[in-house]
Amino acid sequence: MVTGSLLFLKLIGFAGIISAQNTSLSDKAATKETQILYSNMHKLAQTNVIFGHQDDLAYGLGWAYEKGRSDVKSVTGSYPGVYGWELGHLELDSAKNLDGVPFKNIISYVKTVYSRGGINEFSWHFDDPVTGATAWSTPKTTVKQIIPGGDHHAAYVKYLDKFALFVNQLKGPKGEMIPVIFRPLHEHTGGWFWWGNKECTPEEYIALWRFTVDYLRENKKLHNLIIGYSAAGYATEQDYLERYPGDNYVDIIGFDAYMDKDAAYFKSDLNNRYQILEKVATEHHKLPALTETGYILIPDPNWWTQVLLPALKQYKTAYVLTWRNWKTEHYFAPYPGQASAADFKKFYADPKMIFQNKLKPTIYTQNL
Ligand code: BMA
C-alpha cells in the first residue's frame, strides 16, 4: 500500500514537472507575475473555464461609468474573471478608445482587476497605418507596407511606441508591471480587417506578428505580455496554422465564434474548431481559449447552459470572453431582467465556471 502511494506520488510529481516545463511563456524574460499567472491559468484550465466579458466595468445596459457596476455582477453577484479592454484609437493619441471609453479609465480598471486577482486582456482594432481608414477596411497592401522594409514601416512602429507607453502605465503597488493578455491582429482568417487573410500573404502576416512581438519585447522591454493568437473561422488544422507565427511568439491560442440564430450550426462549427484547437494546443503546448463569443441579444433563454456550457465541458478552455454590452441592439451578456438572466445564474453556479469570486490576487504570486 505504502509503496503504491509513494509510486503514485512520484508519478504525480513527475507529471507535475513535465507540465511545469510546458507552461513556460514564449517570452523567456517574462516577469515573475506574468509567468506565475500563465502557469496558474494552465493549471486551472485542466478542470475549469474562466468567464470573461468585454468592457465589463465601463458600461452596460442603461448605465455608463458608474463605479463598481457591472452587468455580470448585477445578475450573478460576481464580476467576471477575465476583463477584455479595447485599445482602438490609442494609435491616434485619442483620449478615448473607438467605443468612447477613456483610456485613463481603462488604466484604472486594469489596476482594480489586478488588485483583486482578475485577468486583463487587450484587443486592438487599430486604424490602417497607411490609409488612415478603420480596422474594417480592405486596402490589400497595408501589411506589406508596414512590415520591416515596407514604405510605411515607421508609421506602424509609432503605433507600437504608443502601445508601449500605455502598457508602461499599468503598474501594481510595488511598481511591478501588471501582466496582461495581448491579442493583436485577431480574426486574421477572416476577410474584414486590413490584416485579414485576403489582405496579405501568410509570410507577410507572420512577419508583421513577429516584428510586433520582437519590437515590444526587445526594444520596448515589455515582459508582462501573454500573447494571444486568435483566429476567426477555419475548417482544418492547416487553415488554423497557415499564419501561425511560431511557438516563440504565442502563448494562448484560440478563436472567435459568434452564434447567429442557428444553434445546430453553431454547435457543429464549435465542435469542429475546438477539435482542431485542442490538437494544436497539445502539440504546441499552448493554452486554448474561446477568445470571443456570444449570441447577440441572447434571445434563447437557455443559451448559456444548453449551448455554450456543453462545449466548454467538452473541450479544454482557459477562458471564454463574451463581447460588450453596449446598447439594446448590441449586447452579449445578460443584465437583470434580460431573457437569459436566470440561465446565466445557473451557468455561473456550475462548478466548471470560474468568475471573479473564485480568483484571488495570489494568482499572480503563488503557483497553484
Ligand atoms: C465590434 C463592435 C463594435 C466595436 C468593436 C471594437 O465587434 O462591438 O461596435 O467598435 O467591436 O470594440
Side-chain angles (χ1 to χ4, degrees), residues 32-52:
K32 199 170 118 256
E33 291 80 7
T34 313
Q35 180 55 59
I36 292 177
L37 171 66
Y38 184 63
S39 300
N40 284 338
M41 287 180 76
H42 268 278
K43 194 84 182 273
L44 290 172
Q46 303 294 335
T47 45
N48 291 93
V49 181
I50 308 175
F51 179 78

Side-chain angles (χ1 to χ4, degrees), residues 54-55 59 86 97-99 123 125 136 258 292 323-324 326 330 332:
Q54 184 74 0
D55 281 347
Y59 54 83
E86 167 58 32
N97 81 1
L98 82 171
D99 300 320
S123 51
H125 293 78
W136 294 264
Y258 286 87
E292 280 184 37
W323 207 241
R324 65 200 196 107
W326 174 22
H330 190 90
F332 298 86

